[in-house]
């Protein structure tokens, strides 16, 4: 009987040790997972820059789909000089305070997808400018060029509130001739209207489908951009380029585009680009009084 009790106690002791060990391992793994998640969050909050063996600066950045890339930072391209310690993102949007050189103002960009907009409510909510899609080209083989059916109404209603307005075209041009066609189409649509902000060239890659621009090279995209911007400039408007870090690293030849201001898109906590830009599109899922559903949010950096 005593031997049986001793055996039972021994087995119970072993089982207790196994349970304690398993619990410790589980907590250890959980803690490691949490630490990895925190490290990942920190990495995605800001870009990573390191020195290469050739004394160049390598930028590690993440794209909008969560994929990481590397690129060498070009010394010959103008850099932004904003103070990112002054930037804070809150539930009410972005604040930027304490920079003696720059201030910001808030804006949005919209298309007919946002439907009817109460622009007075948008203005009263603290927004000072808007970029309005005025035209788009289909990404299918035909590449039909279309007017945004809400564009002119949006322009008139926005300007009536005192907000500043610019426009953009969603481009799928495959050569300079098509880019020039897009610029002329936008100019014709405006019918001589005055704009407070630039006309923006917005070429974009189609990620989840085949597109007519899939085989277009960075050299050709750059040539298209110049053709569009020069046509806009010749018509008396200011051109601007829509960009993100992928375009700046792999597609645009920025050395040929230095004379055009940039509207930069990046949904990280801090813009990852080291290069100069004037506007920052920081969210595609904003909520603004007067608009149903999600809307893109932007800020403009203004020199004091």
């Amino acid at each position: 009987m005593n031997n049986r009790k001793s055996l039972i106690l021994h087995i119970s002791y072993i089982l207790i040790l196994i349970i304690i060990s398993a619990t410790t391992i589980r907590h250890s793994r959980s803690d490691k997972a949490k630490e990895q998640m925190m490290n990942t969050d920190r990495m995605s909050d800001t870009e990573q820059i390191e020195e290469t063996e050739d004394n160049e600066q390598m930028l590690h950045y993440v794209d909008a789909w969560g994929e990481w890339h590397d690129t060498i930072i070009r010394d010959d391209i103008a850099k932004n000089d904003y103070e990112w310690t002054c930037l804070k993102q809150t539930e009410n949007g972005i604040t930027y305070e304490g920079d003696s050189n720059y201030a910001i103002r808030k804006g949005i960009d919209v298309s007919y997808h946002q439907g009817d907009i109460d622009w007075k409510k948008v203005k009263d909510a603290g927004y000072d400018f808007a970029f309005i899609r005025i035209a788009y080209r289909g990404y299918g083989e035909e590449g039909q060029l279309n007017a945004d059916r809400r564009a002119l109404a949006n322009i008139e209603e926005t300007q009536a509130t005192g907000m500043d307005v610019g426009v953009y075209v969603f481009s799928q041009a495959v050569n300079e001739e098509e880019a020039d066609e897009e610029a002329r189409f936008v100019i014709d649509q405006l019918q001589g209207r005055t704009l407070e902000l630039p006309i923006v060239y917005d070429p974009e890659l189609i990620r989840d489908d085949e597109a007519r621009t899939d085989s277009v090279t960075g050299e050709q995209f750059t040539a298209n951009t110049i053709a569009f911007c020069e046509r806009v400039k010749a018509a008396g408007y200011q051109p601007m380029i829509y960009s993100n870090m992928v375009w700046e690293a792999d597609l645009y030849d920025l050395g040929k585009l230095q004379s055009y201001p940039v509207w930069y898109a990046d949904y990280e906590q801090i813009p990852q680009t080291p290069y100069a830009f004037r506007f920052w599109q920081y969210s595609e899922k904003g909520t603004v009084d007067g608009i149903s559903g999600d809307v893109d949010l932007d800020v403009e950096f203004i020199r004091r």
Side-chain angles (χ1 to χ4, degrees):
M1 180 69 74
N2 289 334
N3 288 338
R4 184 180 296 176
K5 286 183 178 179
S6 178
L7 179 61
I8 292 172
L9 287 173
H10 184 67
I11 292 172
S12 298
Y13 179 71
I14 291 174
L15 288 173
I16 290 170
L17 288 177
I18 291 172
I19 292 170
I20 292 172
S21 177
T23 302
T24 302
I25 291 171
R26 186 168 64 251
H27 282 306
S28 175
R29 287 177 177 172
S30 177
D31 290 342
K32 286 182 179 178
K34 288 178 181 178
E35 183 179 355
Q36 288 175 350
M37 288 175 65
M38 289 175 66
N39 287 338
T40 301
D41 288 343
R42 282 197 293 270
M43 288 178 69
S44 65
D45 281 347
T46 184
E47 76 280 3
Q48 308 290 314
I49 298 176
E50 67 179 39
E51 203 82 16
T52 69
E53 293 179 355
D54 298 325
N55 294 321
E56 296 177 309
Q57 286 191 314
M58 175 76 76
L59 173 69
H60 307 288
Y61 68 93
V62 63
D63 65 25
W65 298 278
E67 297 177 3
W68 285 86
H69 308 265
D70 295 335
T71 187
I72 296 296
I73 298 175
R74 292 180 56 173
D75 291 334
D76 60 328
I77 306 302
K79 308 298 190 294
N80 73 72
D81 59 348
Y82 305 130
E83 295 287 347
W84 298 124
T85 56
C86 299
L87 177 72
K88 289 183 175 59
Q89 292 204 33
T90 70
E91 293 181 356
N92 298 321
I94 280 183
T95 62
Y96 186 81
E97 298 174 348
D99 187 340
S100 59
N101 295 315
Y102 293 95
I104 64 168
R105 62 175 184 159
K106 298 194 302 181
I108 60 174
D109 58 275
V110 302
S111 70
Y112 84 92
H113 293 292
Q114 273 69 45
D116 292 333
I117 297 173
D118 187 330
W119 285 103
K120 185 179 184 304
K121 286 186 177 180
V122 174
K123 171 69 172 176
D124 291 344
Y127 292 87
D128 297 314
F129 68 88
F131 283 104
I132 293 165
R133 190 181 71 169
I134 192 167
Y136 63 97
R137 188 187 290 276
Y139 62 81
E141 184 177 350
E142 182 181 352
Q144 182 176 346
L145 192 54
N146 306 279
D148 185 304
R149 56 179 177 266
R150 283 287 306 164
L152 298 183
N154 277 333
I155 292 171
E156 292 174 1
E157 292 167 15
T158 307
Q159 289 181 326
T161 70
M163 296 173 64
D164 290 342
V165 174
V167 299
Y168 71 95
V169 56
F170 177 89
S171 172
Q172 287 290 291
V174 298
N175 52 45
E176 294 102 314
E177 290 74 24
E178 287 191 350
D180 183 75
E181 177 191 20
E182 290 171 350
R184 288 186 283 106
F185 186 85
V186 171
I187 294 163
D188 288 345
Q189 288 294 307
L190 287 171
Q191 300 174 348
R193 287 177 172 82
T194 298
L195 297 176
E196 296 79 23
L197 299 177
I199 296 176
V200 184
Y201 185 61
D202 176 18
E204 296 198 27
L205 301 177
I206 306 301
R207 180 141 180 126
D208 299 322
D209 202 351
E210 292 185 3
R212 66 199 310 271
T213 53
D214 285 348
S215 61
V216 176
T217 64
E219 180 181 8
Q220 186 63 62
F221 275 127
T222 301
N224 295 352
T225 302
I226 294 171
F228 180 94
C229 290
E230 290 304 305
R231 174 66 69 179
V232 166
K233 189 187 296 184
Y237 292 100
Q238 182 186 21
M240 186 163 67
I241 304 165
Y242 182 81
S243 182
N244 60 41
M245 199 61 241
V246 171
W247 280 81
E248 294 187 351
D250 298 330
L251 294 170
Y252 282 145
D253 182 348
L254 293 178
K256 296 180 179 179
L257 302 175
Q258 290 287 277
S259 62
Y260 311 121
V262 171
W263 175 15
Y264 177 76
D266 194 331
Y267 306 141
E268 295 301 299
Q269 292 295 308
I270 296 173
Q272 298 174 98
T273 182
Y275 304 123
F277 62 92
R278 177 178 165 188
F279 293 87
W280 174 28
Q281 183 188 80
Y282 67 90
S283 176
E284 60 181 348
K285 295 188 178 299
T287 56
V288 174
D289 194 22
I291 299 177
S292 299
D294 294 339
V295 64
D296 294 342
L297 301 178
D298 308 273
V299 292
E300 179 186 12
F301 289 85
I302 303 169
R303 185 171 288 277
R304 294 183 185 276

